[in-house]
Amino acid sequence: MSVRPYVVASVAVSLDGRIDDAGPDRLVLSGPEDLDRVDEVRAGVDAILVGAGTVRADDPRLLVRSAARRAARAARGVPETPLRVVLSTGGPLDPGARVFSGPPTLVLTLGDGGVPAALDELGARGVGRLLVEGGSTVHTAFLAADLVDELHVAVAPILVGGGPPFVHGGAFPPARWRLAGVDTVGDVAVLRLLRGPRG
Protein backbone atom coordinates (compact mmCIF):
# COMPACT_ATOMS: atom_id res chain seq x y z
CA MET A 1 0.00 0.00 0.00
CA SER A 2 1.35 3.44 -0.95
CA VAL A 3 2.03 6.17 1.57
CA ARG A 4 0.04 9.35 1.13
CA PRO A 5 2.07 12.46 0.36
CA TYR A 6 3.01 15.06 2.96
CA VAL A 7 0.69 17.95 2.06
CA VAL A 8 1.73 21.59 2.14
CA ALA A 9 -1.09 24.05 1.41
CA SER A 10 -0.09 27.55 0.32
CA VAL A 11 -2.33 30.58 0.00
CA ALA A 12 -2.06 34.36 -0.23
CA VAL A 13 -4.89 36.24 1.46
CA SER A 14 -5.91 39.81 2.16
CA LEU A 15 -6.27 41.11 5.71
CA ASP A 16 -9.93 40.12 5.54
CA GLY A 17 -9.19 36.58 4.37
CA ARG A 18 -9.96 36.94 0.66
CA ILE A 19 -7.96 35.31 -2.12
CA ASP A 20 -9.32 37.64 -4.82
CA ASP A 21 -11.67 40.58 -5.19
CA ALA A 22 -14.99 40.70 -7.01
CA GLY A 23 -13.57 42.36 -10.14
CA PRO A 24 -13.01 40.67 -13.52
CA ASP A 25 -9.21 40.80 -13.31
CA ARG A 26 -7.11 38.57 -11.07
CA LEU A 27 -5.95 40.37 -7.93
CA VAL A 28 -2.26 39.72 -7.23
CA LEU A 29 -1.80 39.74 -3.45
CA SER A 30 1.83 38.61 -3.33
CA GLY A 31 4.79 40.74 -4.27
CA PRO A 32 7.86 39.53 -6.18
CA GLU A 33 9.65 38.46 -3.01
CA ASP A 34 6.79 36.21 -1.92
CA LEU A 35 6.37 34.80 -5.42
CA ASP A 36 10.05 33.85 -5.27
CA ARG A 37 9.45 32.18 -1.88
CA VAL A 38 6.62 30.14 -3.41
CA ASP A 39 8.91 29.21 -6.31
CA GLU A 40 11.42 27.86 -3.78
CA VAL A 41 8.67 25.80 -2.13
CA ARG A 42 7.61 24.49 -5.56
CA ALA A 43 11.19 23.41 -6.25
CA GLY A 44 11.16 21.27 -3.12
CA VAL A 45 8.06 19.18 -3.82
CA ASP A 46 7.16 16.26 -6.09
CA ALA A 47 3.84 17.63 -7.33
CA ILE A 48 1.85 20.89 -7.42
CA LEU A 49 -1.96 20.68 -7.30
CA VAL A 50 -4.69 23.19 -8.15
CA GLY A 51 -8.39 22.86 -8.80
CA ALA A 52 -10.02 23.02 -12.19
CA GLY A 53 -11.62 26.34 -11.22
CA THR A 54 -8.17 27.87 -10.75
CA VAL A 55 -7.13 26.62 -14.19
CA ARG A 56 -10.23 28.19 -15.73
CA ALA A 57 -9.96 31.49 -13.85
CA ASP A 58 -6.20 32.10 -13.65
CA ASP A 59 -4.65 29.90 -16.36
CA PRO A 60 -1.52 29.13 -14.28
CA ARG A 61 1.58 27.41 -15.65
CA LEU A 62 2.62 25.81 -12.32
CA LEU A 63 6.31 25.72 -13.25
CA VAL A 64 9.46 26.32 -11.24
CA ARG A 65 10.47 29.73 -12.56
CA SER A 66 14.06 29.98 -11.35
CA ALA A 67 16.59 28.52 -13.79
CA ALA A 68 18.96 27.79 -10.89
CA ARG A 69 16.28 25.85 -9.02
CA ARG A 70 15.36 23.90 -12.16
CA ALA A 71 19.03 23.04 -12.69
CA ALA A 72 19.36 21.94 -9.05
CA ARG A 73 16.38 19.62 -9.49
CA ALA A 74 17.85 18.19 -12.69
CA ALA A 75 21.16 17.61 -10.90
CA ARG A 76 19.25 15.53 -8.33
CA GLY A 77 17.85 13.40 -11.14
CA VAL A 78 14.26 14.65 -10.90
CA PRO A 79 12.24 16.61 -13.48
CA GLU A 80 12.96 20.34 -13.58
CA THR A 81 9.35 21.03 -12.63
CA PRO A 82 7.25 18.89 -10.29
CA LEU A 83 4.33 16.92 -11.64
CA ARG A 84 1.42 19.29 -12.25
CA VAL A 85 -1.95 18.03 -11.00
CA VAL A 86 -5.42 19.42 -11.71
CA LEU A 87 -8.19 18.25 -9.38
CA SER A 88 -11.59 18.35 -11.06
CA THR A 89 -15.16 17.59 -10.07
CA GLY A 90 -16.10 17.32 -13.74
CA GLY A 91 -16.77 19.70 -16.58
CA PRO A 92 -14.58 20.63 -19.52
CA LEU A 93 -11.05 21.97 -19.27
CA ASP A 94 -9.52 23.99 -22.09
CA PRO A 95 -6.81 21.82 -23.71
CA GLY A 96 -5.07 25.07 -24.63
CA ALA A 97 -4.66 26.07 -20.97
CA ARG A 98 -1.05 26.83 -20.07
CA VAL A 99 -0.94 24.02 -17.49
CA PHE A 100 -1.23 21.53 -20.36
CA SER A 101 1.81 22.86 -22.24
CA GLY A 102 5.33 21.69 -21.47
CA PRO A 103 5.85 19.02 -18.81
CA PRO A 104 3.14 16.40 -18.19
CA THR A 105 0.00 17.30 -16.25
CA LEU A 106 -2.21 14.79 -14.45
CA VAL A 107 -5.95 15.44 -14.21
CA LEU A 108 -7.66 13.70 -11.31
CA THR A 109 -11.44 13.60 -11.01
CA LEU A 110 -12.67 13.98 -7.45
CA GLY A 111 -15.09 11.09 -7.13
CA ASP A 112 -16.72 9.26 -4.24
CA GLY A 113 -13.35 8.64 -2.62
CA GLY A 114 -12.79 12.39 -2.30
CA VAL A 115 -9.46 13.90 -1.33
CA PRO A 116 -8.19 10.71 0.39
CA ALA A 117 -8.52 8.76 -2.87
CA ALA A 118 -6.70 11.52 -4.77
CA LEU A 119 -3.84 11.39 -2.26
CA ASP A 120 -3.73 7.60 -2.49
CA GLU A 121 -3.40 7.89 -6.28
CA LEU A 122 -0.58 10.43 -5.98
CA GLY A 123 1.19 8.31 -3.38
CA ALA A 124 0.99 5.32 -5.71
CA ARG A 125 2.66 7.46 -8.38
CA GLY A 126 5.59 8.17 -6.06
CA VAL A 127 4.59 11.65 -4.89
CA GLY A 128 6.05 12.07 -1.42
CA ARG A 129 5.55 15.81 -1.00
CA LEU A 130 2.58 17.69 -2.48
CA LEU A 131 2.04 21.45 -2.71
CA VAL A 132 -1.63 22.51 -2.86
CA GLU A 133 -2.06 26.01 -4.28
CA GLY A 134 -5.86 26.32 -4.34
CA GLY A 135 -8.34 27.72 -5.03
CA SER A 136 -10.79 28.01 -2.18
CA THR A 137 -12.83 24.90 -3.08
CA VAL A 138 -9.68 22.75 -3.09
CA HIS A 139 -8.32 24.30 0.12
CA THR A 140 -11.69 23.74 1.78
CA ALA A 141 -11.80 20.09 0.67
CA PHE A 142 -8.28 19.31 1.91
CA LEU A 143 -8.69 21.13 5.23
CA ALA A 144 -12.15 19.67 5.91
CA ALA A 145 -10.71 16.18 5.28
CA ASP A 146 -7.91 16.96 7.79
CA LEU A 147 -5.31 16.11 5.17
CA VAL A 148 -3.09 19.21 5.27
CA ASP A 149 0.13 18.71 7.22
CA GLU A 150 1.59 22.18 6.81
CA LEU A 151 -0.09 25.49 5.95
CA HIS A 152 1.62 28.58 4.53
CA VAL A 153 -0.51 31.74 4.71
CA ALA A 154 0.88 34.91 3.13
CA VAL A 155 -1.10 37.86 4.50
CA ALA A 156 -1.02 40.91 2.23
CA PRO A 157 -1.53 44.41 3.72
CA ILE A 158 -4.74 45.08 1.83
CA LEU A 159 -8.47 44.98 2.58
CA VAL A 160 -10.57 43.60 -0.26
CA GLY A 161 -14.10 43.64 1.15
CA GLY A 162 -15.51 41.13 -1.34
CA GLY A 163 -14.55 38.18 -3.48
CA PRO A 164 -13.91 34.54 -2.62
CA PRO A 165 -12.68 33.65 0.86
CA PHE A 166 -9.73 31.36 1.56
CA VAL A 167 -12.14 28.63 2.74
CA HIS A 168 -15.91 28.40 2.69
CA GLY A 169 -18.60 26.27 4.30
CA GLY A 170 -17.80 22.80 5.46
CA ALA A 171 -17.01 21.43 8.89
CA PHE A 172 -13.37 21.62 9.88
CA PRO A 173 -11.58 19.33 12.34
CA PRO A 174 -11.40 20.73 15.89
CA ALA A 175 -7.63 21.15 15.76
CA ARG A 176 -5.57 24.15 16.80
CA TRP A 177 -2.74 24.75 14.35
CA ARG A 178 0.76 25.19 15.74
CA LEU A 179 2.60 28.32 14.63
CA ALA A 180 6.02 27.17 13.41
CA GLY A 181 7.26 30.51 12.08
CA VAL A 182 6.41 34.02 10.89
CA ASP A 183 8.49 35.79 8.26
CA THR A 184 8.28 39.18 6.60
CA VAL A 185 8.71 38.65 2.87
CA GLY A 186 8.55 41.92 1.00
CA ASP A 187 5.41 43.57 2.29
CA VAL A 188 3.59 40.37 3.30
CA ALA A 189 3.66 38.36 6.52
CA VAL A 190 4.05 34.63 5.92
CA LEU A 191 2.72 32.33 8.63
CA ARG A 192 3.93 28.72 8.60
CA LEU A 193 1.61 26.47 10.58
CA LEU A 194 1.75 22.77 11.38
CA ARG A 195 -1.25 20.60 12.04
CA GLY A 196 -1.78 20.42 15.80
CA PRO A 197 -3.41 17.79 17.98
CA ARG A 198 -7.13 17.26 17.61
CA GLY A 199 -9.60 18.20 20.31
Side-chain angles (χ1 to χ4, degrees):
M1 182 176 176
S2 63
V3 177
R4 286 177 180 166
Y6 182 91
V7 177
V8 179
S10 178
V11 64
V13 299
S14 63
L15 290 172
D16 49 347
R18 305 291 171 170
I19 61 171
D20 201 353
D21 61 15
D25 297 323
R26 179 174 174 246
L27 175 66
V28 178
L29 293 166
S30 293
E33 299 91 344
D34 187 54
L35 292 174
D36 186 64
R37 176 195 64 82
V38 172
D39 194 60
E40 184 175 15
V41 176
R42 283 181 176 182
V45 300
D46 302 306
I48 306 166
L49 182 147
V50 297
T54 296
V55 171
R56 295 182 189 108
D58 297 340
D59 195 20
R61 292 170 55 209
L62 301 183
L63 301 175
V64 174
R65 296 173 180 169
S66 162
R69 290 178 185 131
R70 292 195 304 270
R73 286 180 59 88
R76 296 197 320 263
V78 297
E80 290 187 355
T81 288
L83 175 68
R84 299 175 298 174
V85 182
V86 178
L87 193 61
S88 175
T89 56
L93 285 164
D94 181 1
R98 295 193 303 172
V99 76
F100 296 123
S101 65
T105 299
L106 174 66
V107 178
L108 292 178
T109 300
L110 198 61
D112 293 339
V115 171
L119 288 181
D120 288 340
E121 174 66 22
L122 291 174
R125 290 173 179 264
V127 174
R129 196 168 172 89
L130 172 68
L131 176 61
V132 176
E133 292 194 2
S136 62
T137 298
V138 168
H139 281 310
T140 299
F142 271 80
L143 288 164
D146 198 20
L147 290 172
V148 174
D149 300 291
E150 187 172 328
L151 180 60
H152 298 178
V153 182
V155 183
I158 181 174
L159 289 166
V160 174
F166 162 35
V167 292
H168 55 81
F172 298 100
R176 187 176 181 91
W177 290 80
R178 179 168 63 85
L179 185 63
V182 180
D183 294 308
T184 302
V185 182
D187 69 346
V188 305
V190 179
L191 286 68
R192 189 169 71 87
L193 302 121
L194 301 176
R195 185 167 53 173
R198 297 177 59 93

